[in-house]
């Protein structure tokens, strides 16, 4: 079964001007599938339509044309949302709370029963390697640790699909490895992971497939096992250059 199905997805923004409205094509007839249980990278330069696509998948934006499905459920729907865990590019976390307290808050909001919430918090803190810091306030956390808390809140309700928007941005080498390990562990637990990024090397290390998009258009789907190790960056640059010329 496909975790994500995207069929001819198109999103046009209308920018209002004093005399004449201006249309901007953010996503252009995008179609691809993400298989259940895979790690799928969504790659493109800044402004290529990655975040718009993700917001449409989450039901935060309505498509101008086309449609999306999450495990067969047409988006937007409550049934599809219950199967998704989401990490935005810049997660807002209350810095005065501890890791345990913020997960208790998000767990309650996500409908996790009180009878299992404490156990679930310990499980997700173990998954993101923060169990020993559970009573530390988030204001004392590094950027990488905050990103892992962001992943923890995304999985607290045991979703089948994780959608991560630029999870590697701003991380140092240790933070990059920690985030990579967390994503691989989630896959080992049977989760599907879909993430956007412009950090090509990280995508090549953990993805089974990646989509390359530019100016809202799908340029190519790359199967990592079918390319020479270390070549994804050159493939990405070549595809972007061809699209520009």
């Amino acid at each position: 079964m496909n975790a994500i199905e995207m069929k001819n997805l198109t999103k046009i923004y209308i920018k209002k001007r004093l005399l004449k409205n201006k249309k901007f094509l953010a996503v252009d007839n995008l179609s691809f599938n993400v298989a259940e249980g895979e790690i799928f990278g969504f790659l493109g330069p800044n402004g290529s339509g990655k975040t718009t696509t993700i917001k449409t998948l989450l039901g935060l934006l309505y498509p101008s044309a086309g449609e999306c499905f999450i495990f067969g459920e047409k988006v937007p729907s409550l049934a599809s949302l219950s199967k998704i865990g989401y990490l935005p590019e810049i997660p807002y976390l209350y810095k005065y709370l501890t890791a345990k307290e913020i997960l208790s808050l998000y767990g309650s909001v996500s409908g996790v029963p009180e009878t299992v919430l404490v156990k679930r918090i310990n499980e997700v803190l173990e998954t993101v390697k923060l169990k020993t810091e559970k009573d530390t306030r988030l204001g004392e956390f590094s950027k990488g640790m905050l990103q892992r808390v962001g992943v923890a809140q995304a999985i607290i309700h045991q979703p089948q699909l994780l959608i991560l928007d630029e999870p590697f941005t701003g991380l140092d080498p240790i933070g990059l490895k920690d985030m990579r390990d967390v994503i691989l562990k989630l896959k080992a637990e049977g989760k599907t992971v879909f993430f956007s990024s412009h950090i090509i090397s990280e995508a090549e290390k953990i993805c089974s497939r990646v989509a390359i998009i530019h100016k809202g258009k799908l340029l190519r789907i790359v199967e990592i096992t079918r390319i020479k190790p270390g070549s994804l960056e050159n493939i990405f640059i070549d595809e972007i250059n061809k699209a520009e010329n």
Side-chain angles (χ1 to χ4, degrees):
M1 185 183 211
N2 288 320
I4 296 172
E5 293 181 41
M6 209 168 294
K7 299 179 179 180
N8 307 114
L9 182 67
T10 300
K11 179 61 182 178
I12 299 170
Y13 290 109
I14 298 177
K15 298 182 178 180
K16 294 187 177 182
R17 296 290 186 267
L18 184 61
L19 299 177
K20 185 178 179 181
N21 292 339
K22 184 178 180 181
K23 293 184 177 180
F24 172 67
L25 183 59
V27 179
D28 187 1
N29 201 37
L30 203 58
S31 296
F32 63 85
N33 298 329
V34 176
E36 186 174 1
E38 79 171 318
I39 301 175
F40 190 98
F42 194 45
L43 311 182
N46 291 332
S48 59
K50 301 189 299 295
T51 297
T52 295
T53 302
I54 285 174
K55 286 183 176 180
T56 306
L57 277 174
L58 295 168
L60 299 175
L61 294 174
Y62 283 92
S64 303
E67 51 193 3
C68 307
F69 298 85
I70 302 293
F71 293 105
E73 296 281 348
K74 187 174 179 179
V75 177
S77 74
L78 290 176
S80 64
L81 282 176
S82 67
K83 299 173 183 177
I84 298 173
Y86 172 54
L87 173 67
E89 181 177 1
I90 304 174
Y92 182 80
L93 301 168
Y94 299 106
K95 300 294 181 67
Y96 57 86
L97 295 180
T98 66
K100 183 172 65 177
E101 289 169 341
I102 196 79
L103 293 177
S104 179
L105 172 63
Y106 279 111
S108 297
V109 170
S110 300
V112 180
E114 290 292 331
T115 53
V116 300
L117 185 53
V118 172
K119 180 183 177 183
R120 184 64 190 148
I121 289 171
N122 287 330
E123 288 172 350
V124 297
L125 287 171
E126 182 74 37
T127 296
V128 301
K129 303 178 183 179
L130 287 174
K131 199 166 185 179
T132 58
E133 290 85 9
K134 65 181 181 179
D135 295 314
T136 302
R137 297 192 184 279
L138 301 187
E140 301 176 36
F141 280 17
S142 67
K143 165 72 171 175
M145 293 168 74
L146 288 173
Q147 284 289 80
R148 283 185 277 151
V149 173
V151 173
Q153 65 79 26
I155 63 175
I156 190 71
H157 59 298
Q158 296 184 307
Q160 298 168 253
L161 169 65
L162 276 297
I163 297 179
L164 314 177
D165 193 0
E166 301 284 358
F168 298 106
T169 299
L171 300 184
D172 61 21
I174 294 174
L176 288 173
K177 184 182 184 306
D178 286 343
M179 182 58 67
R180 194 189 317 140
D181 289 345
V182 167
I183 292 174
L184 289 170
K185 187 170 184 180
L186 291 170
K187 181 184 187 303
E189 293 174 358
K191 309 293 186 187
T192 305
V193 182
F194 175 85
F195 71 88
S196 68
S197 185
H198 55 260
I199 302 179
I200 311 302
S201 59
E202 292 304 315
E204 185 171 4
K205 288 172 184 173
I206 61 176
C207 292
S208 54
R209 295 186 301 148
V210 302
I212 299 173
I213 71 162
H214 181 50
K215 295 182 179 178
K217 289 186 177 182
L218 177 65
L219 303 182
R220 182 175 173 181
I221 300 284
V222 180
E223 292 189 33
I224 301 302
T225 57
R226 296 192 175 186
I227 64 173
K228 183 179 177 181
S231 65
L232 183 59
E233 182 175 328
N234 288 333
I235 291 170
F236 177 86
I237 293 170
D238 287 346
E239 291 293 337
I240 299 299
N241 286 339
K242 281 192 292 184
E244 289 285 355
N245 296 327

